Amino acid sequence: MQQILQEALSQSEATGEIDTFYQDVIEGLTSEFKRLPSKFFYDQQGDRLFQQIMACDQYYLTRCEAEILKNQREQICETIQNGDTSFEIIELGAGDGTKTVHILDSLSLQGKSFRYLPIDISGNILNELTDNLLAQNPELDIQPLEGEYFQMLDQAVSLSGLHKVVLFLGSNIGNMPPADALQFCSRIRQSIMPGDMVLIGFDLVKDLI
Ligand SMILES: C[S@@+](CC[C@H](N)C(=O)[O-])C[C@H]1O[C@@H](n2cnc3c(N)ncnc32)[C@H](O)[C@@H]1O
């Protein structure tokens, strides 16, 4: 099986006709530890499943991060705001934005001038997020971007020269092997300018019980 998959991969590499999905599936299923990228999980049904996961008692990440963002919102907003100058908040894998809303609301209440650019591979969740945020705050300047993290980050960055704050929440980075996480952070660094900021949610490694 492995040999067949590897031959198929070499063949498609040779012809240069590699579809990303096909390549990801072949690579993931021929590796020692079988895996598939989680980006294929998220469509309307996958989004719903993830929302159900977030609501589980065992999934403490969402509650803990929401508590931090809610309780520390003033300090966070103080740190990320750009004086009285407009700035942009770009969120990678924004999902339904249930936690980010604390920061957005706080900045809006303070009358700060900012634009929110949520990036997500799922158009379904971006529509839900946009509708919910605009229903709560019709004045919010929001520009959803549907697609891959870095393709959309580069697009977002090219839209203006404003100060950027990039969010990557949910301890999503903890799903990556350390080398991939390092590469991910370096890639963000390549896209932004000195003085821009990045806020990443990290979970701690737990003792195994
Ligand atoms: C684990 S959820 C986290 C959602 C949100 N940040 C939170 O903390 O609740 C990951 C989100 O990232 C999106 N996503 C996954 N892979 C992606 C990729 N390669 N590019 C863009 N978005 C992606 C998914 O659609 C999903 O909404």
Side-chain angles (χ1 to χ4, degrees), residues 86-90 114-115 117 156 159-160 162-165:
S86 282
F87 66 104
E88 292 179 335
I89 298 178
I90 302 172
F114 68 97
R115 170 176 288 178
L117 300 106
L159 294 175
S160 84
L162 294 176
H163 173 72
K164 309 272 183 281
V165 179

Side-chain angles (χ1 to χ4, degrees), residues 89-185:
I89 298 178
I90 302 172
E91 182 164 7
L92 302 174
D96 67 8
T98 40
K99 294 167 284 181
T100 318
V101 72
H102 297 299
I103 302 297
L104 302 177
D105 282 353
S106 189
L107 289 166
S108 296
L109 280 172
Q110 291 172 38
K112 297 293 171 194
S113 169
F114 68 97
R115 170 176 288 178
Y116 175 50
L117 300 106
I119 291 172
D120 207 289
I121 200 138
S122 165
N124 172 68
I125 204 72
L126 275 182
N127 288 338
E128 196 174 300
L129 168 73
T130 308
D131 290 349
N132 287 343
L133 290 178
L134 287 176
Q136 288 165 42
N137 178 6
E139 305 293 305
L140 182 71
D141 185 356
I142 177 168
Q143 180 163 355
L145 295 167
E146 181 184 340
E148 286 270 1
Y149 294 130
F150 294 112
Q151 210 177 339
M152 291 301 117
L153 177 60
D154 289 343
Q155 189 173 317
V157 166
S158 71
L159 294 175
S160 84
L162 294 176
H163 173 72
K164 309 272 183 281
V165 179
V166 178
L167 307 182
F168 189 49
L169 301 179
S171 193
N172 219 343
I173 198 153
N175 294 323
M176 301 176 192
D180 292 0
L182 186 63
Q183 197 181 17
F184 191 88
C185 293

